[in-house]
Amino acid sequence: MFGSGGVSDGYEIGSKRPRMMESNPYFAVSSGSTGYQSHGYGSRFVSSAFPVVRLRGLPFNCTDIDIFKFFTGLDIVDVLLANKNGRFSGEAFVVFAGPMQAEIALQRDRQNMGRRYVEVFRCKKQDYYHAVAGEVNYEGIYDNDFQGSPPPSRSKKFHDKDQMEYTEILKLRGLPYSATKSAIVKFFGDFKLADDKIHIACRPDGKATGEAYVEFASAEEAKKAMCKDKKMIGSRYVELFPSTPDEARRAESRSRQ
């Protein structure tokens, strides 16, 4: 495909992560201040601390797939790569399916990812939500249900994307996990994409990551297609970014592993 040519506390912040918040009980609003609840199972009670850990020291080319591999065997609900001023900071937040999984994840502290060791440590639920809110605010998305201050102007972010160097490849982020190639073709409407020019990125277990790479007829066509940035597929808005054939090939290679 890309062989030739030359990257809440119960709040639903925008429509960014509804699939996660709807499906996981740990995103429910708690009336307590500790972040702990108890669920009865017969005579036993199981702690329900919010199951999130923070990673530091990640390689700057790290992707969601690398983090899924780092935590192989654990059930990950969400990965948030933290950015600072639009650049990856080397930190990430990882939400697991339950507190026990998060405890096991902490045992991987200072294990290597590539040539770098990664710190894995506890963090608060609020730290994760603040990171999500910061990501959305930087992208210029504001949801009326989010009880916070309006985000900064969108103009700088859009100006940055407009000034980036384009190839024929665009990266899509925030896709529904169920998104198909035909849904992506329909999303781009008149841009006349073919199925074999679309790669939907997958985790090692075969599940979709919510990202995809699309090859257009030319760099100029790809830049025109940026008019679809932040448009909706189903209930989710989709972010578009200029990418490269090399990045698309790496993503395709990781999906095959």
Side-chain angles (χ1 to χ4, degrees), residues 63-231:
T63 66
D64 291 8
I65 296 291
D66 297 320
I67 291 176
F68 278 111
K69 288 182 178 179
F70 184 77
F71 288 116
T72 295
L74 299 180
D75 189 3
I76 292 175
V77 174
D78 188 42
V79 173
L80 175 64
L81 299 173
N83 293 296
K84 185 174 182 179
N85 298 324
R87 299 192 177 205
F88 180 47
S89 65
E91 297 192 2
F93 295 84
V94 183
V95 182
F96 294 90
M100 183 61 69
Q101 301 248 341
E103 288 296 320
I104 296 172
L106 291 169
Q107 298 173 16
R108 304 196 185 179
D109 181 40
R110 296 185 181 271
Q111 292 189 13
N112 277 30
M113 182 182 292
R115 296 182 179 180
R116 303 189 61 161
Y117 75 81
V118 176
E119 296 177 75
V120 183
F121 52 96
R122 301 179 193 276
C123 71
K124 296 179 181 178
K125 174 172 60 177
Q126 288 76 13
D127 295 335
Y128 166 73
Y129 288 136
H130 289 161
V132 174
E135 177 193 16
V136 174
N137 282 352
Y138 186 78
E139 295 293 342
I141 299 302
Y142 181 63
D143 186 274
N144 290 329
D145 293 333
F146 178 62
Q147 306 300 313
S149 301
S153 167
R154 302 178 67 175
S155 60
K156 181 179 184 302
K157 183 64 180 175
F158 276 76
H159 176 74
D160 288 348
K161 283 188 179 180
D162 189 58
Q163 296 302 311
M164 293 175 71
E165 183 176 348
Y166 281 77
T167 70
E168 64 273 28
I169 308 295
L170 289 183
K171 177 180 178 179
L172 285 65
R173 188 173 71 187
L175 291 164
Y177 288 145
S178 59
T180 62
K181 290 185 177 183
S182 59
I184 293 173
V185 169
K186 184 177 179 181
F187 174 74
F188 282 107
D190 297 332
F191 286 96
K192 298 179 182 178
L193 289 174
D195 282 4
D196 64 351
K197 301 298 184 181
I198 298 170
H199 170 66
I200 297 175
C202 294
R203 291 162 31 179
D205 61 6
K207 295 180 180 178
T209 66
E211 295 186 349
Y213 294 83
V214 176
E215 182 179 353
F216 292 86
S218 66
E220 182 179 343
E221 191 82 349
K223 192 168 185 177
K224 288 179 181 177
M226 285 295 294
C227 66
K228 293 290 187 176
D229 191 28
K230 304 296 195 306
K231 303 298 184 182

Side-chain angles (χ1 to χ4, degrees), residues 189 235-236:
S235 62
R236 293 179 58 82

